[in-house]
């Protein structure tokens, strides 16, 4: 990034130091041309070059004084001063725009570096944090440590998106793909960012000692339980199994998050509010993910149980109209979906 | 007069020679992806023509005819594009943040070129789907897609792994795994109407 060059002719009275720098650049360009011509004439004699240099500096001083005088005249006169001011303003704006663009590009690059310390992890650390996210710790007397990293949570959110896609695809191959990807990404990222922000806000109200980064990391690692439960139950379609996993695995990861928050909050009412909200949201999210995307598979499997497989209308369940992901077209299943369901049934 | 005769249909004009050169470079990189060895070709002279060709081919093949409404063709093309390019950008940012010394476009180039096995799987799936549907049909497609998915991951790991610090290779490879998994799943569950 170029900084404004100080004028060689000393202090100028006028519009500001940037003007001196701007015009100085033009004069510097001009003098380079003169320099080349002179070198040809004087055949490289340095003494004469120095003399030329001094003369050029004196000329610039004279020019600077003349310009300053002209500028003063311009401020005094009406019309002539206005035109000069306009051209100067345009040049000023171009300079500012260029400077702004350069600094914006620089800050964009610097933003990536801001995130760099949050990705400074080793695979062993990620593995141990994943396992620890399922183990609630009992000591709540002093604040438990939360690792402030973003790699693990981000990868878990993407894994959840992939698992949801897997689940949605096995349930219905006719739902338009445009809604599948958008719904999955929107749901998972929306939950992670939205609920983190909400709980952080509540933590602020309840005077809990937790930062936004730590909340993001905590909730992100809490999604590990969700990933496990959904991965298993999208492949083995048993309701009882799902409820068991919901309570066990979902409960364990919720308890872990709750224990961490309790250790960082003072006062029974605050603890209850914060932890109750988090536990409710976390468990309900798992329930929502399973049932919103899973209902349709059940419908298919229930109607496919007979030996003669008639052309099928999907069985609509009472899903509230508010859930956008559970739109059920009532079109006829094609043979491939039947094949998929048959393959799943034969497991 | 001589220049007027030479210009339009002459094979030696300034458009066809660079075109052949670029096509040859793209073809050479395709060969490198199909037979992955630890080499620097993809990284040194990166270009985005190959990924663009592959992405457009894949997106065109993943379109189905209008089933429910005319809007079915549209979102799928755009969706594949968005998934491929934003997925690649995300993986590149992730590998840079983990401390990798690969440039942005080099990484995009490698990830794009390594979609080639999956594009071939898509071709095979479309051919297989012309036969009668059934569980065997599905198993064949599943097998082909799994093989090509593994091939893509091996190819991209061969090129990308060297740019990461040695103890963090797994952290950089995992999102690549997720990326190709999503694409493979789209290919596997494609049903033409």
């Amino acid at each position: 990034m170029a900084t404004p060059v100080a004028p060689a002719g000393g202090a100028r009275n006028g519009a500001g130091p940037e003007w001196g720098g701007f015009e100085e650049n033009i004069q510097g360009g001009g003098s380079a041309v003169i320099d080349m011509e002179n070198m040809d004439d004087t055949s490289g004699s340095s003494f004469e070059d120095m003399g030329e240099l001094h003369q050029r500096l004196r000329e610039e001083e004279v020019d600077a004084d003349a310009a300053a005088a002209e500028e003063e005249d311009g401020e005094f006169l009406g019309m002539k001063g206005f035109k000069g001011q306009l051209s100067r303003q345009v040049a000023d704006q171009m300079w500012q725009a260029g400077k702004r663009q350069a600094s914006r590009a620089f800050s964009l690059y610097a933003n990536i570096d801001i995130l760099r310390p949050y990705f400074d992890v080793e695979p062993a650390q990620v593995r141990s944090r994943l396992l620890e996210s399922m183990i609630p710790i009992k000591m709540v007397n002093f604040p438990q440590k939360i690792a402030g990293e973003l790699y693990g949570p981000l990868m878990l959110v993407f894994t959840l998106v992939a698992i949801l896609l897997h689940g949605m695809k096995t349930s219905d191959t006719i739902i338009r793909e445009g809604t599948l990807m958008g719904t999955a990404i929107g749901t998972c990222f929306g939950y992670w960012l939205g609920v983190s922000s909400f709980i952080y806000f509540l933590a602020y109200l309840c005077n809990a000692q937790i930062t936004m980064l730590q909340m993001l990391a905590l909730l992100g690692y809490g999604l590990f339980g969700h990933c496990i439960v959904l991965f298993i139950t999208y492949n083995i379609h048993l309701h009882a199994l799902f409820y068991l996993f919901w309570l066990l695995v979902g409960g364990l990861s919720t308890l872990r998050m709750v224990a961490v928050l309790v250790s960082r909050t003072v006062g029974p009412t605050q603890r209850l509010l914060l932890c109750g909200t988090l536990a409710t949201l976390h468990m309900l999210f798992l329930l929502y993910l399973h049932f919103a995307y899973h209902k349709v598979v059940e419908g298919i499997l229930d109607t496919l149980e007979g030996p003669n497989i008639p052309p099928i209308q999907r069985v609509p369940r009472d899903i509230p109209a508010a859930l956008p992901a559970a739109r059920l077209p009532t079109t006829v299943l094609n043979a491939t979906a039947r094949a998929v369901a048959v393959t799943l049934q034969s497991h | 007069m001589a220049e007027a005769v030479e210009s339009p249909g002459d094979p030696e004009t300034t458009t066809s020679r660079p075109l052949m050169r670029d096509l040859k470079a793209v073809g050479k990189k395709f060969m490198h992806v199909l037979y992955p060895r630890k080499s620097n070709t993809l990284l040194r002279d990166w270009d985005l023509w190959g990924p663009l060709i592959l992405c457009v081919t894949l997106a065109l093949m993943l379109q189905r005819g209008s089933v429910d409404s005319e809007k079915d063709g549209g979102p799928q093309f755009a969706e594949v594009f968005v998934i491929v390019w934003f997925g690649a950008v995300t993986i590149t940012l992730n590998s840079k943040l983990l401390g990798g010394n690969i440039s942005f476009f080099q990484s995009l180039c490698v990830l794009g070129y390594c979609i080639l096995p999956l594009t071939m799987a898509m071709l095979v799936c479309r051919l297989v789907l012309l036969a009668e549907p059934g569980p065997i049909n599905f198993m064949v497609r599943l097998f082909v897609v799994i093989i090509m998915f593994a091939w893509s991951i091996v190819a991209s790991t061969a090129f990308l792994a060297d740019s990461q610090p040695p103890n963090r290779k797994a952290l950089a490879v995992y999102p690549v795994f997720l990326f190709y998994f999503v694409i493979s799943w789209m290919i596997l569950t494609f049903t033409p109407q």
Side-chain angles (χ1 to χ4, degrees), chain A residues 71-144:
Chain A
E71 193 184 343
E72 281 172 4
D73 281 345
E75 281 170 6
F76 185 66
L77 295 174
M79 195 63 177
K80 202 167 160 190
F82 184 62
K83 271 194 202 156
Q85 261 184 4
L86 201 61
S87 68
R88 247 171 283 159
Q89 260 178 358
V90 166
D92 186 17
Q93 273 168 10
M94 279 172 51
W95 173 254
Q96 291 296 334
K99 210 161 89 165
R100 234 179 296 130
Q101 264 186 356
S103 58
R104 215 181 304 148
F106 181 75
S107 65
L108 176 68
Y109 179 81
N111 269 342
I112 296 183
D113 278 334
I114 288 178
L115 290 178
R116 209 177 274 269
Y118 307 141
F119 282 75
D120 190 15
V121 287
E122 306 290 319
Q125 282 178 327
V126 175
R127 203 169 32 236
S128 67
R129 281 171 198 165
L130 283 175
L131 292 174
E132 278 169 10
S133 74
M134 303 299 294
I135 304 173
I137 300 187
K138 277 207 132 194
M139 53 181 169
V140 293
N141 294 326
F142 63 95
Q144 294 181 22

Side-chain angles (χ1 to χ4, degrees), chain A residues 12-33:
Chain A
R12 290 166 50 88
N13 42 354
E18 281 125 4
W19 294 119
F22 193 65
E23 292 182 272
E24 177 65 9
N25 284 340
I26 294 179
Q27 286 171 351
S31 62
V33 173

Side-chain angles (χ1 to χ4, degrees), chain A residues 202-214:
Chain A
L202 280 185
Y204 171 74
L205 291 181
C206 301
N207 282 330
Q209 299 169 10
I210 194 166
T211 66
M212 184 66 191
L213 171 71
Q214 288 172 331

Side-chain angles (χ1 to χ4, degrees), chain A residues 120 122 151 159 169 176-177, chain B residues 72 167-168 171 174 185:
Chain A
D120 190 15
E122 306 290 319
Y151 174 83
T159 310
K169 285 281 190 181
R176 283 169 298 181
E177 295 189 41
Chain B
D72 263 354
N167 48 345
R168 290 191 189 177
L171 297 184
Y174 180 69
W185 199 252

Side-chain angles (χ1 to χ4, degrees), chain A residues 114-327:
Chain A
I114 288 178
L115 290 178
R116 209 177 274 269
Y118 307 141
F119 282 75
D120 190 15
V121 287
E122 306 290 319
Q125 282 178 327
V126 175
R127 203 169 32 236
S128 67
R129 281 171 198 165
L130 283 175
L131 292 174
E132 278 169 10
S133 74
M134 303 299 294
I135 304 173
I137 300 187
K138 277 207 132 194
M139 53 181 169
V140 293
N141 294 326
F142 63 95
Q144 294 181 22
K145 192 172 174 317
I146 306 176
E149 58 136 324
L150 286 178
Y151 174 83
L154 204 61
M155 287 305 124
L156 279 170
V157 173
F158 280 125
T159 310
L160 192 61
V161 169
I163 294 178
L164 279 183
L165 282 179
H166 165 74
M168 281 196 274
K169 285 281 190 181
T170 41
S171 64
D172 183 358
T173 51
I174 295 187
I175 292 179
R176 283 169 298 181
E177 295 189 41
T179 59
L180 274 176
M181 199 66 194
T183 315
I185 292 187
T187 311
C188 297
F189 270 96
Y191 175 77
W192 183 48
L193 296 171
V195 171
S196 292
S197 316
F198 181 60
I199 301 288
Y200 175 67
F201 168 67
L202 280 185
Y204 171 74
L205 291 181
C206 301
N207 282 330
Q209 299 169 10
I210 194 166
T211 66
M212 184 66 191
L213 171 71
Q214 288 172 331
M215 191 60 228
L216 281 171
L218 190 66
L219 193 66
Y221 275 112
L223 287 175
F224 180 54
H226 284 21
C227 288
I228 296 178
V229 174
L230 288 173
F231 183 66
I232 296 178
T233 56
Y234 277 150
N235 292 319
I236 306 174
H237 303 278
L238 289 174
H239 264 326
L241 186 70
F242 168 71
Y243 283 121
L244 183 69
F245 271 107
W246 178 62
L247 281 175
L248 257 181
V249 180
L252 273 179
S253 74
T254 313
L255 271 178
R256 154 95 185 159
M257 290 198 296
V258 159
V260 170
L261 276 181
V262 161
S263 75
R264 287 169 170 259
T265 318
V266 180
T269 325
Q270 287 94 327
R271 283 177 171 181
L272 190 63
L273 175 68
L274 200 55
C275 302
T277 319
L278 180 61
T280 318
L281 286 173
H282 204 64
M283 300 295 273
L284 282 181
F285 184 58
L286 184 53
L287 218 58
Y288 166 74
L289 283 181
H290 180 86
F291 283 108
Y293 298 99
H294 186 72
K295 287 267 187 204
V296 192
V297 187
E298 277 232 323
I300 299 173
L301 288 182
D302 280 348
T303 49
L304 283 181
E305 257 151 26
N308 299 333
I309 304 176
I312 293 169
Q313 292 280 359
R314 205 163 301 112
V315 177
R317 303 234 168 172
D318 32 315
I319 297 173
L323 291 175
R327 240 174 305 164

